[in-house]
Amino acid sequence: MNSSSTAVLLETVNFAAEKHRNQRRKDLDATPYINHPIGVARILSHEGGITDIEVLQAALLHDTVEDTDTTFEELESVFGTTVARIVQEVTDDKSLPKEERKRLQVVHAPHRSHQAKLVKLADKLYNLRDLNRCTPTGWTAGRVQEYFVWASQVAKGLRGTNPALEEKMQHLFLERGLQF
Ligand SMILES: Nc1nc2c(ncn2[C@@H]2O[C@H](COP(=O)(O)OP(=O)(O)O)[C@@H](OP(=O)(O)OP(=O)(O)O)[C@H]2O)c(=O)[nH]1
Ligand SMILES: [Mn+2]
């Protein structure tokens, strides 16, 4: 990594950390939310072998618009059109009912760009591992299994994107008796 990409990644992770500063994960420890986007970017780099800096930046920023006051215009002006576009592709429309948002993820997944599919794949892999690590507060075992079933439907539309990540995901689905 050259010195300018190091600086770019630090700017990006700092932006995401400030945006998510008041958010916590749903686990018992109330882990800082920023652990999730950092972990998603780390899966892409460390496990997926991804070096495309705009994909790694989009991974760090992927929940900022969905879950904080960040706008796409803001992302575009700070990080450029490609990063903003990838984040936009992986952002749910929170004005829609939850069932519809979940349905649209399944429908849209196969049509996303390669860069957006990478971020989606790593996002799901992180969240599935997190569910195996501990059950979010208020979730039943049935709700956890339902999330795995739905994630497997989304992940089917992401096949052919990154063999290493897909193989790891496949193991998680097989453990739950699901096809991928
Ligand atoms: N497994 C897990 N997930 C947690 C935890 N804390 C927060 N989340 C977030 O919750 C979302 C999954 O929960 P759901 O009930 O299905 O979705 P919702 O938050 O949109 O209502 C994920 O959002 P997302 O990243 O936007 O992904 P997606 O599921 O919407 O694709 C995930 O990052 C936690 O402790 N464990
Ligand atoms: Mn996420």
Side-chain angles (χ1 to χ4, degrees):
M1 199 192 305
N2 62 41
S3 59
S4 75
S5 48
T6 310
V8 165
L9 283 177
L10 286 170
E11 276 306 299
T12 312
V13 76
N14 184 63
F15 181 99
E18 290 192 349
K19 290 295 191 175
H20 289 295
R21 72 175 346 135
N22 294 319
Q23 281 182 279
R24 298 289 179 272
R25 299 287 285 173
K26 299 167 185 163
D27 59 350
L28 269 182
D29 294 343
T31 302
Y33 196 86
I34 190 63
N35 282 36
H36 167 62
I38 292 174
V40 171
R42 198 259 185 181
I43 286 173
L44 287 166
S45 166
H46 187 76
E47 302 182 55
I50 301 303
T51 55
D52 179 344
I53 189 160
E54 291 176 318
V55 170
L56 300 176
Q57 287 181 274
L60 290 168
L61 298 167
H62 80 272
D63 278 328
T64 56
V65 177
E66 205 172 286
D67 296 336
T68 78
D69 63 3
T70 310
T71 64
F72 294 120
E73 293 72 27
E74 188 179 4
L75 291 184
E76 185 168 346
S77 73
V78 182
F79 300 109
T81 52
T82 303
V83 170
R85 190 259 304 151
I86 302 168
V87 175
Q88 188 259 314
E89 285 190 83
V90 301
T91 298
D92 284 357
D93 180 350
K94 280 272 181 102
S95 71
L96 298 173
K98 182 164 177 166
E99 282 306 304
E100 180 66 356
R101 281 192 275 129
K102 297 276 170 192
R103 190 186 70 79
L104 288 176
Q105 281 206 33
V106 178
V107 172
H108 289 151
H111 309 293
R112 296 306 187 203
S113 68
H114 179 73
Q115 290 173 310
K117 284 180 177 175
L118 282 168
V119 175
K120 263 284 158 220
L121 204 51
D123 186 25
K124 288 288 180 286
L125 187 53
Y126 184 104
N127 284 333
L128 295 175
R129 286 173 173 169
D130 219 16
L131 287 176
N132 281 342
R133 183 181 65 85
C134 64
T135 304
T137 46
W139 285 39
T140 61
R143 179 161 174 195
V144 171
Q145 180 70 10
E146 264 173 43
Y147 188 93
F148 270 83
V149 171
W150 167 74
S152 75
Q153 290 163 0
V154 178
K156 276 189 188 113
L158 303 171
R159 276 186 303 210
T161 303
N162 183 281
L165 299 187
E166 284 162 56
E167 196 189 322
K168 290 176 182 205
M169 193 165 248
Q170 173 148 35
H171 276 289
L172 299 181
F173 290 135
L174 285 176
E175 282 174 357
R176 298 255 171 185
L178 297 169
Q179 298 286 333
F180 169 44

